[in-house]
Amino acid sequence: MTRILFWLGLVFLVMFAIRTKLQGGRPPQPRRQAPPPDAERGGAARGRRAAAEIETMLCCAHCGIYYPASETVQAKGLDYCSAAHARLPAP
Ligand SMILES: [Zn+2]
């Protein structure tokens, strides 16, 4: 009878150790993520922020590369990606 209890206890300990090892190997899964603060206000602020992060892209009149509109160099009524391209004659 003592041997049976010993083996049962050993099997239980091995199973507990394996289960603990498996759970420790991966991060615990979050059950439910808290909504961001903007979502609680209807998401309008999030929409404005996303629109602010999206910047208009312009095409350089010399090389044709697209660049952010905030970096534009205007010359002769055209948009250029840099001052160097604004000085060069149009192709
Ligand atoms: Zn250019």
Side-chain angles (χ1 to χ4, degrees):
M1 185 64 186
T2 309
R3 284 186 185 175
I4 293 173
L5 289 177
F6 170 76
W7 286 110
L8 281 176
L10 187 65
V11 168
F12 175 77
L13 284 176
V14 168
M15 289 178 65
F16 180 76
I18 290 173
R19 189 174 171 187
T20 304
K21 180 103 176 165
L22 287 177
Q23 286 178 347
R26 60 174 187 251
Q29 298 290 328
R31 289 184 182 155
R32 181 177 172 272
Q33 286 188 335
D38 292 340
E40 296 172 359
R41 286 180 263 151
R46 185 177 59 189
R48 280 196 302 270
R49 188 177 63 201
E53 290 173 357
I54 297 172
E55 188 168 358
T56 303
M57 302 295 282
L58 297 175
C59 182
C60 176
H62 179 76
C63 64
I65 198 171
Y66 283 87
Y67 58 94
S70 62
E71 300 175 10
T72 189
V73 177
Q74 288 191 329
K76 297 167 259 177
L78 299 173
D79 296 323
Y80 295 91
C81 66
S82 63
H85 282 184
R87 284 192 299 269
L88 292 172

